[in-house]
Amino acid sequence: MPQILVDHSAELVFDRAGLAAEVHQSITEVIDTTVADCKTLFRPAGEHHVGDGTSGEAVVLVEVKILAGRSAEQRAELTARVLAALRARIERPAVIGVQVTELDRDTYRFVHHPGH
């Protein structure tokens, strides 16, 4: 179920596969899910701006979407683990934001579509 959306400056070079693997494993250690249920989407942004544009910092914004019902402590632990995984992989100056959000169990649906 967990969906991880990683928006980042297009020119930022970092180990995406390693990040996804670590985040997926961390999620299974904090909430009741499996690595196979985790999905990460990397979305490079062609343009970004930090402050007045003079800092030269890259941008990484991560949203981890999980089903509602987890405690604030679990969500905070996920945030801390994702932030640590990013900080370990990003070698240049960057601003990093991580948010864990909850999806409504009554209205969220996910399927494996086999195609036509």
Side-chain angles (χ1 to χ4, degrees):
M1 152 55 251
Q3 298 174 0
I4 303 92
L5 306 175
V6 183
D7 294 300
H8 62 88
S9 302
E11 76 282 357
L12 186 63
V13 176
F14 62 101
D15 177 11
R16 291 171 182 80
L19 176 67
E22 183 175 347
V23 169
H24 293 184
Q25 184 60 44
S26 291
I27 289 171
T28 68
E29 294 169 2
V30 176
I31 66 172
D32 183 29
T33 193
T34 66
V35 168
D37 289 333
C38 297
K39 295 147 302 281
T40 296
L41 182 63
F42 292 94
R43 304 186 296 192
E47 185 174 344
H48 74 276
H49 299 275
V50 177
D52 66 4
T54 62
S55 72
E57 294 170 297
V59 176
V60 183
L61 303 173
V62 178
E63 181 179 17
V64 179
K65 296 181 180 189
I66 59 175
L67 287 175
R70 278 43 180 252
S71 69
E73 291 80 14
Q74 286 173 305
R75 295 190 314 271
E77 178 66 18
L78 281 177
T79 298
R81 288 184 183 214
V82 172
L83 183 59
L86 286 162
R87 293 181 82 179
R89 285 176 174 76
I90 296 174
E91 297 179 3
R92 62 172 281 195
V95 294
I96 303 170
V98 178
Q99 174 68 43
V100 175
T101 59
E102 295 184 306
L103 298 168
D104 187 318
R105 289 178 181 269
D106 293 332
T107 60
Y108 175 77
R109 299 294 179 267
F110 180 83
V111 298
H112 287 270
H113 176 64
H116 296 280

Coordinates of all heavy atoms in Angstrom, one line a residue, residues 12-68:
L12 N 19.9 16.7 -9.7 CA 20.4 16.0 -8.5 C 20.7 14.6 -8.7 O 19.9 13.8 -9.2 CB 19.4 16.2 -7.4 CG 19.8 15.7 -6.0 CD1 21.0 16.5 -5.5 CD2 18.7 15.8 -5.0
V13 N 22.0 14.2 -8.5 CA 22.4 12.8 -8.6 C 22.4 12.1 -7.3 O 23.1 12.6 -6.4 CB 23.8 12.7 -9.3 CG1 24.3 11.3 -9.4 CG2 23.7 13.4 -10.7
F14 N 21.7 11.0 -7.1 CA 21.8 10.2 -5.9 C 21.3 8.8 -6.2 O 20.7 8.6 -7.3 CB 20.9 10.9 -4.8 CG 19.5 11.0 -5.1 CD1 18.5 10.1 -4.5 CD2 19.0 12.1 -5.9 CE1 17.2 10.3 -4.8 CE2 17.6 12.2 -6.1 CZ 16.7 11.3 -5.6
D15 N 21.5 7.9 -5.3 CA 21.2 6.5 -5.5 C 19.7 6.3 -5.2 O 19.3 6.0 -4.1 CB 22.1 5.7 -4.5 CG 21.7 4.2 -4.6 OD1 21.0 3.7 -5.5 OD2 22.2 3.5 -3.7
R16 N 18.9 6.4 -6.3 CA 17.5 6.2 -6.2 C 17.1 4.8 -5.8 O 16.2 4.6 -4.9 CB 16.8 6.6 -7.5 CG 16.9 8.1 -7.8 CD 16.4 8.5 -9.2 NE 16.5 9.9 -9.5 CZ 17.6 10.5 -9.9 NH1 18.8 9.8 -10.0 NH2 17.6 11.8 -10.1
A17 N 17.7 3.8 -6.4 CA 17.3 2.4 -6.1 C 17.7 2.1 -4.6 O 16.9 1.5 -3.9 CB 18.1 1.5 -7.0
G18 N 18.8 2.6 -4.2 CA 19.2 2.4 -2.8 C 18.3 3.1 -1.8 O 17.9 2.5 -0.8
L19 N 17.9 4.3 -2.2 CA 16.9 5.0 -1.3 C 15.6 4.3 -1.3 O 15.1 4.1 -0.2 CB 16.7 6.5 -1.9 CG 15.7 7.3 -1.1 CD1 16.2 7.6 0.3 CD2 15.3 8.6 -1.9
A20 N 15.1 3.9 -2.4 CA 13.8 3.2 -2.4 C 13.9 1.9 -1.6 O 13.0 1.6 -0.7 CB 13.4 2.9 -3.8
A21 N 15.0 1.1 -1.7 CA 15.1 -0.1 -0.9 C 15.1 0.2 0.6 O 14.5 -0.5 1.3 CB 16.4 -0.8 -1.4
E22 N 15.9 1.2 1.0 CA 16.0 1.5 2.4 C 14.6 2.0 2.9 O 14.2 1.7 4.0 CB 17.1 2.5 2.7 CG 17.3 2.8 4.1 CD 18.4 3.8 4.4 OE1 19.3 4.0 3.6 OE2 18.5 4.2 5.6
V23 N 14.0 2.9 2.2 CA 12.7 3.4 2.6 C 11.7 2.3 2.7 O 10.9 2.2 3.7 CB 12.2 4.6 1.7 CG1 10.8 5.0 2.0 CG2 13.1 5.8 1.9
H24 N 11.6 1.4 1.7 CA 10.7 0.3 1.8 C 10.9 -0.5 3.0 O 9.9 -0.9 3.7 CB 10.8 -0.5 0.5 CG 10.3 0.2 -0.7 ND1 10.3 -0.4 -2.0 CD2 9.9 1.5 -1.0 CE1 9.9 0.4 -2.9 NE2 9.7 1.6 -2.3
Q25 N 12.1 -0.9 3.3 CA 12.5 -1.7 4.4 C 12.1 -1.0 5.7 O 11.5 -1.6 6.6 CB 13.9 -2.1 4.5 CG 14.3 -3.0 5.6 CD 13.6 -4.3 5.6 OE1 13.4 -4.9 4.5 NE2 13.1 -4.7 6.7
S26 N 12.4 0.3 5.8 CA 12.0 1.1 7.0 C 10.5 1.1 7.2 O 10.1 1.0 8.4 CB 12.5 2.5 6.9 OG 13.9 2.6 6.9
I27 N 9.8 1.3 6.2 CA 8.3 1.3 6.3 C 7.8 0.0 6.9 O 7.0 0.0 7.8 CB 7.6 1.6 5.0 CG1 7.9 3.0 4.6 CG2 6.1 1.3 5.0 CD1 7.5 3.4 3.2
T28 N 8.4 -1.2 6.5 CA 7.9 -2.5 7.0 C 8.3 -2.6 8.5 O 7.6 -3.4 9.2 CB 8.5 -3.6 6.2 OG1 9.9 -3.7 6.4 CG2 8.2 -3.5 4.8
E29 N 9.3 -1.9 8.9 CA 9.7 -2.0 10.3 C 8.9 -1.1 11.2 O 8.9 -1.3 12.5 CB 11.2 -1.6 10.5 CG 12.1 -2.6 9.8 CD 13.6 -2.2 9.6 OE1 13.9 -1.0 10.1 OE2 14.4 -2.9 9.0
V30 N 8.2 -0.1 10.7 CA 7.4 0.8 11.5 C 5.9 0.5 11.4 O 5.2 0.7 12.4 CB 7.7 2.3 11.0 CG1 6.8 3.2 11.8 CG2 9.2 2.6 11.2
I31 N 5.4 0.1 10.2 CA 4.0 -0.2 10.1 C 3.8 -1.6 9.6 O 4.7 -2.2 9.0 CB 3.2 0.8 9.3 CG1 3.7 0.8 7.8 CG2 3.3 2.2 9.8 CD1 2.8 1.6 6.8
D32 N 2.6 -2.1 9.7 CA 2.3 -3.5 9.3 C 2.1 -3.5 7.7 O 1.0 -3.3 7.3 CB 1.1 -4.0 10.0 CG 0.8 -5.4 9.6 OD1 1.7 -6.2 9.3 OD2 -0.4 -5.8 9.7
T33 N 3.2 -3.8 7.0 CA 3.1 -3.9 5.5 C 4.3 -4.7 5.1 O 5.1 -5.1 5.9 CB 3.0 -2.5 4.8 OG1 2.7 -2.7 3.5 CG2 4.3 -1.8 4.9
T34 N 4.4 -5.0 3.8 CA 5.5 -5.7 3.2 C 6.2 -4.9 2.2 O 5.7 -3.9 1.7 CB 5.0 -7.0 2.5 OG1 4.3 -6.6 1.4 CG2 4.2 -7.9 3.4
V35 N 7.5 -5.2 2.0 CA 8.3 -4.5 0.9 C 7.6 -4.6 -0.4 O 7.5 -3.6 -1.2 CB 9.7 -5.1 0.9 CG1 10.4 -4.6 -0.4 CG2 10.5 -4.7 2.1
A36 N 7.0 -5.7 -0.7 CA 6.3 -5.9 -2.0 C 5.1 -4.9 -2.2 O 4.7 -4.6 -3.3 CB 5.8 -7.3 -2.2
D37 N 4.6 -4.4 -1.1 CA 3.4 -3.5 -1.2 C 3.9 -2.0 -1.3 O 3.1 -1.2 -1.6 CB 2.6 -3.6 0.1 CG 1.8 -4.9 0.2 OD1 1.5 -5.4 -0.9 OD2 1.5 -5.3 1.3
C38 N 5.2 -1.8 -1.2 CA 5.7 -0.4 -1.3 C 6.0 0.0 -2.7 O 6.5 -0.8 -3.5 CB 7.0 -0.2 -0.5 SG 6.7 -0.5 1.3
K39 N 5.6 1.2 -3.1 CA 5.9 1.7 -4.4 C 6.5 3.1 -4.3 O 5.9 4.0 -3.6 CB 4.5 1.8 -5.2 CG 4.0 0.4 -5.5 CD 2.5 0.4 -5.5 CE 1.7 0.9 -4.3 NZ 1.6 0.0 -3.1
T40 N 7.6 3.4 -5.0 CA 8.2 4.7 -5.0 C 8.2 5.2 -6.4 O 8.6 4.5 -7.4 CB 9.6 4.6 -4.4 OG1 9.5 4.2 -3.1 CG2 10.3 5.9 -4.5
L41 N 7.9 6.5 -6.6 CA 7.9 7.2 -7.8 C 8.8 8.4 -7.7 O 8.6 9.2 -6.8 CB 6.5 7.6 -8.2 CG 6.3 8.3 -9.5 CD1 6.7 7.4 -10.7 CD2 4.9 8.8 -9.7
F42 N 9.8 8.4 -8.5 CA 10.8 9.6 -8.6 C 10.3 10.5 -9.7 O 10.1 10.1 -10.8 CB 12.2 9.1 -8.8 CG 12.8 8.3 -7.7 CD1 12.7 7.0 -7.6 CD2 13.4 9.0 -6.6 CE1 13.2 6.2 -6.6 CE2 13.9 8.3 -5.5 CZ 13.8 6.9 -5.5
R43 N 10.2 11.8 -9.3 CA 9.7 12.8 -10.3 C 10.7 14.0 -10.3 O 10.6 14.9 -9.5 CB 8.3 13.3 -9.8 CG 7.3 12.1 -9.7 CD 5.9 12.6 -9.4 NE 5.7 13.2 -8.1 CZ 4.6 13.5 -7.6 NH1 3.4 13.1 -8.2 NH2 4.5 14.1 -6.4
P44 N 11.6 13.9 -11.3 CA 12.6 15.0 -11.4 C 11.8 16.3 -11.9 O 11.0 16.2 -12.8 CB 13.5 14.6 -12.5 CG 13.2 13.1 -12.8 CD 11.9 12.8 -12.2
A45 N 12.2 17.4 -11.3 CA 11.6 18.7 -11.7 C 12.6 19.5 -12.5 O 13.7 19.7 -12.0 CB 11.2 19.5 -10.4
G46 N 12.2 19.9 -13.6 CA 13.1 20.6 -14.5 C 13.5 22.0 -14.0 O 14.5 22.5 -14.4
E47 N 12.7 22.5 -13.1 CA 13.0 23.9 -12.6 C 12.7 23.9 -11.1 O 11.7 23.3 -10.7 CB 12.2 24.9 -13.4 CG 12.5 26.3 -13.0 CD 11.8 27.4 -13.9 OE1 11.3 27.0 -14.9 OE2 11.8 28.5 -13.5
H48 N 13.5 24.6 -10.4 CA 13.2 24.7 -8.9 C 13.8 26.1 -8.5 O 14.7 26.6 -9.1 CB 13.7 23.6 -8.1 CG 15.2 23.6 -8.0 ND1 16.1 23.1 -8.9 CD2 16.0 24.1 -7.0 CE1 17.3 23.3 -8.5 NE2 17.3 23.9 -7.4
H49 N 13.3 26.6 -7.4 CA 13.8 27.8 -6.8 C 13.8 27.7 -5.3 O 12.8 27.2 -4.7 CB 12.9 29.0 -7.2 CG 12.8 29.2 -8.6 ND1 13.8 30.0 -9.3 CD2 12.0 28.8 -9.6 CE1 13.5 30.0 -10.6 NE2 12.4 29.3 -10.8
V50 N 14.9 28.1 -4.6 CA 15.0 28.1 -3.2 C 15.2 29.5 -2.8 O 16.2 30.1 -3.3 CB 16.1 27.2 -2.7 CG1 16.2 27.3 -1.2 CG2 15.8 25.7 -3.1
G51 N 14.4 30.1 -2.0 CA 14.6 31.5 -1.6 C 14.7 32.4 -2.7 O 13.9 32.4 -3.7
D52 N 15.8 33.2 -2.7 CA 16.0 34.2 -3.8 C 16.7 33.6 -4.9 O 17.1 34.3 -5.9 CB 16.7 35.5 -3.2 CG 18.1 35.2 -2.8 OD1 18.6 34.1 -2.9 OD2 18.7 36.2 -2.2
G53 N 17.0 32.3 -4.9 CA 17.7 31.7 -6.0 C 19.2 31.7 -6.0 O 19.8 31.2 -6.9
T54 N 19.8 32.3 -5.0 CA 21.2 32.4 -5.0 C 22.0 31.4 -4.2 O 23.2 31.3 -4.3 CB 21.6 33.8 -4.4 OG1 21.2 33.9 -3.0 CG2 21.1 34.9 -5.2
S55 N 21.3 30.5 -3.5 CA 21.9 29.5 -2.6 C 22.5 28.3 -3.4 O 23.4 27.7 -2.9 CB 20.9 29.0 -1.6 OG 20.0 28.1 -2.2
G56 N 22.0 28.1 -4.6 CA 22.4 26.9 -5.3 C 22.0 25.6 -4.8 O 22.5 24.5 -5.2
E57 N 21.1 25.6 -3.8 CA 20.7 24.3 -3.2 C 19.7 23.6 -4.2 O 18.9 24.2 -4.8 CB 19.9 24.6 -1.9 CG 20.8 25.1 -0.8 CD 20.0 25.6 0.4 OE1 19.2 26.6 0.2 OE2 20.2 25.0 1.4
A58 N 19.8 22.3 -4.1 CA 18.8 21.4 -4.8 C 17.6 21.3 -3.9 O 17.7 21.7 -2.7 CB 19.5 20.0 -5.1
V59 N 16.6 20.7 -4.4 CA 15.3 20.5 -3.7 C 14.9 19.0 -3.7 O 15.0 18.4 -4.8 CB 14.2 21.4 -4.2 CG1 12.9 21.1 -3.5 CG2 14.5 22.8 -4.2
V60 N 14.6 18.5 -2.6 CA 14.0 17.1 -2.5 C 12.8 17.2 -1.6 O 12.9 17.6 -0.4 CB 15.0 16.1 -2.0 CG1 14.4 14.7 -2.0 CG2 16.3 16.1 -2.7
L61 N 11.6 16.8 -2.1 CA 10.4 16.8 -1.3 C 9.8 15.4 -1.4 O 9.6 14.9 -2.5 CB 9.4 17.9 -1.8 CG 9.9 19.3 -1.9 CD1 8.9 20.2 -2.6 CD2 10.2 19.8 -0.5
V62 N 9.6 14.8 -0.3 CA 9.1 13.4 -0.2 C 7.8 13.4 0.5 O 7.6 13.9 1.6 CB 10.1 12.5 0.5 CG1 9.6 11.1 0.5 CG2 11.5 12.5 -0.3
E63 N 6.8 12.7 -0.1 CA 5.6 12.4 0.6 C 5.4 10.9 0.7 O 5.5 10.2 -0.3 CB 4.4 13.0 -0.2 CG 3.1 12.7 0.5 CD 1.9 13.3 -0.2 OE1 2.0 13.7 -1.4 OE2 0.8 13.4 0.4
V64 N 5.2 10.4 1.9 CA 5.0 8.9 2.1 C 3.5 8.8 2.4 O 3.0 9.4 3.4 CB 5.8 8.4 3.3 CG1 5.5 6.9 3.5 CG2 7.3 8.6 3.0
K65 N 2.7 8.1 1.6 CA 1.3 8.0 1.8 C 1.0 6.6 2.3 O 1.4 5.6 1.7 CB 0.6 8.2 0.4 CG 0.7 9.5 -0.2 CD -0.1 9.6 -1.4 CE 0.0 11.0 -2.1 NZ -0.9 11.1 -3.2
I66 N 0.4 6.6 3.5 CA 0.0 5.3 4.1 C -1.5 5.3 4.5 O -2.1 6.4 4.5 CB 0.8 5.0 5.4 CG1 0.7 6.2 6.4 CG2 2.3 4.8 5.0 CD1 1.4 5.9 7.7
L67 N -2.1 4.2 4.7 CA -3.5 4.1 5.1 C -3.6 4.7 6.5 O -2.7 4.6 7.4 CB -4.0 2.7 5.1 CG -4.2 2.1 3.7 CD1 -4.6 0.6 3.9 CD2 -5.3 2.8 3.0
A68 N -4.7 5.4 6.7 CA -5.0 6.0 8.0 C -5.1 5.0 9.1 O -5.3 3.9 8.9 CB -6.4 6.8 7.9

